[in-house]
Amino acid sequence: MPLLSYYAATILVLLPTAVCFTSTPTNRISVGSTVGLDNYSVVEDASQLTPELNDASQTKSNNNELILPSKPYGVIFDMDGTLIKHSINFADMRQRIYDVVDADPIGKDLEKDCVLEMPRRLTEEGERRCHEIFADIEQRAIDNMQLQDGGAELVQFLIESGLKTAVLTRNMEKNVVHMMELYKNEMSINNDVTIFEPIVARNTKAHPDDDEPLKSKPNPAGILHICKVWGCEPSDVIFVGDSANDDMSAANRAGCGGAVLLQPGGCQLDTDSGYAVGDSESEIMERTPSLCVESLSDLKFCLDAVLNEQEKSDTIQADEVGQDGYVYSSDTFSVTIPSIGVKGVL
């Protein structure tokens, strides 16, 4: 098959189910059936996603941002709901923790916030009870842990392609180790081989002598720490997660080259840990992915196309072309995607 035809076929097959482009600061759009993002709606005509641009947004739109780095150094994964299937009942966790907070002499006067942050603000007994709840929930998640569909194939592909892989999670380190063992078994890798390095969990310290662990997502501290360990810039890194509030915010705050939101089957699941999120333009953009996929297999397909194209060009861009759709282009090929089922922030 000629090179142009191969890439055209690749992109045409991929984009209807996987890709979000960057438009203006209040618009990230996607082509396909992925649904469920807050503040997103489905429209039939891409021209509806083109508001009047102010100077700042006009500049950003004209910069033709990459949806993924053309030469990615590594991929950082969230764990729960990303590398493993969603198994934590966040609504139950919020209710159980808030019940402890309401019964606590100190907590009863506090405003409800992130369930992972509230225990340290309670009495010693209240904090102990919260950690017992976390331990119970996470143990049940370990007992029922299942690898995400397509996960082993994606990780194997990244390793064979020479890309680094790491995990950033609000779970505990010991649970990440258990997950990694499942991946090694699935990939037939020896136990003495590390496939995710480093692992940054909610109890991970940047240095052994630090008093406190690294701040959890949506704080970008974990991503910046991983980039420091790897010796690369955040712009060379792709972050993959299933939470717009936690994962996409952390990735965008850190300046990652790609912020990939995984929504298996096109559904958004409850991953809310209880903290408030804002609705300003900048806060919405922090939660907005550069790429949205329905499966890790879709992501592998997309990365394969990017890495193949890397040898031919340093730029892969998404440019708006009005009512006819969007063009995915590089120095060696250009494919127009029809504006059918386009979804964006309106």
Side-chain angles (χ1 to χ4, degrees), residues 81-100:
T82 302
L83 286 172
I84 59 175
K85 293 183 179 180
H86 186 90
S87 62
I88 293 178
N89 186 329
F90 279 82
D92 176 65
M93 178 171 64
R94 291 192 300 271
Q95 186 60 57
R96 292 174 68 181
I97 295 298
Y98 290 157
D99 285 346
V100 173

Side-chain angles (χ1 to χ4, degrees), residues 168-183:
L168 175 60
T169 178
R170 286 150 60 102
N171 211 311
M172 300 291 285
E173 286 183 6
K174 64 182 180 66
N175 299 336
V176 183
V177 172
H178 178 74
M179 180 271 298
M180 188 162 58
E181 291 174 353
L182 294 181
Y183 264 87

Side-chain angles (χ1 to χ4, degrees), residues 199-318:
I199 292 170
V200 177
R202 74 167 184 266
N203 59 328
T204 300
K205 297 179 179 180
H207 303 285
D209 296 335
D210 289 350
D211 294 331
E212 297 290 334
L214 289 160
K215 292 185 179 297
S216 296
K217 299 173 294 184
N219 191 292
I223 295 175
L224 298 177
H225 172 73
I226 292 171
C227 290
K228 183 177 180 180
V229 172
W230 282 353
C232 69
E233 296 297 323
S235 58
D236 298 323
V237 167
I238 299 167
F239 189 90
V240 185
D242 69 318
S243 169
N245 293 344
D246 296 334
D247 299 323
M248 300 303 99
S249 292
N252 287 321
R253 290 177 186 179
C256 288
V260 180
L261 183 66
L262 173 66
Q263 292 189 311
C267 299
Q268 182 184 21
L269 301 175
D270 181 358
T271 60
D272 180 15
S273 57
Y275 60 87
V277 295
D279 57 2
S280 69
E281 183 176 288
S282 61
E283 289 168 320
I284 290 173
M285 285 304 297
E286 278 190 346
R287 302 194 297 270
T288 305
S290 59
L291 175 68
C292 190
V293 297
E294 294 188 6
S295 72
L296 293 181
S297 297
D298 282 345
L299 178 57
K300 176 180 176 293
F301 195 61
C302 186
L303 288 172
D304 189 26
V306 169
L307 294 177
N308 281 328
E309 180 60 19
Q310 175 184 318
E311 299 177 1
K312 310 297 185 297
S313 170
D314 290 335
T315 57
I316 298 176
Q317 300 170 341

Side-chain angles (χ1 to χ4, degrees), residues 115-128:
V115 294
L116 295 178
E117 300 296 330
M118 294 207 73
R120 69 185 66 183
R121 296 154 59 188
L122 305 180
T123 62
E124 184 176 338
E125 174 61 17
E127 184 175 13
R128 183 191 65 78

Side-chain angles (χ1 to χ4, degrees), residues 6-51:
Y6 168 78
Y7 282 115
T10 297
I11 300 303
L12 283 171
V13 171
L14 170 67
L15 287 175
T17 60
V19 172
C20 293
F21 294 111
T22 300
S23 179
T24 72
T26 54
N27 279 296
R28 300 285 177 99
I29 59 104
S30 68
V31 179
S33 57
T34 304
V35 296
L37 275 177
D38 291 343
N39 301 315
Y40 275 70
S41 59
V42 175
V43 296
E44 294 300 324
D45 186 351
S47 63
Q48 298 179 38
L49 299 177
T50 312

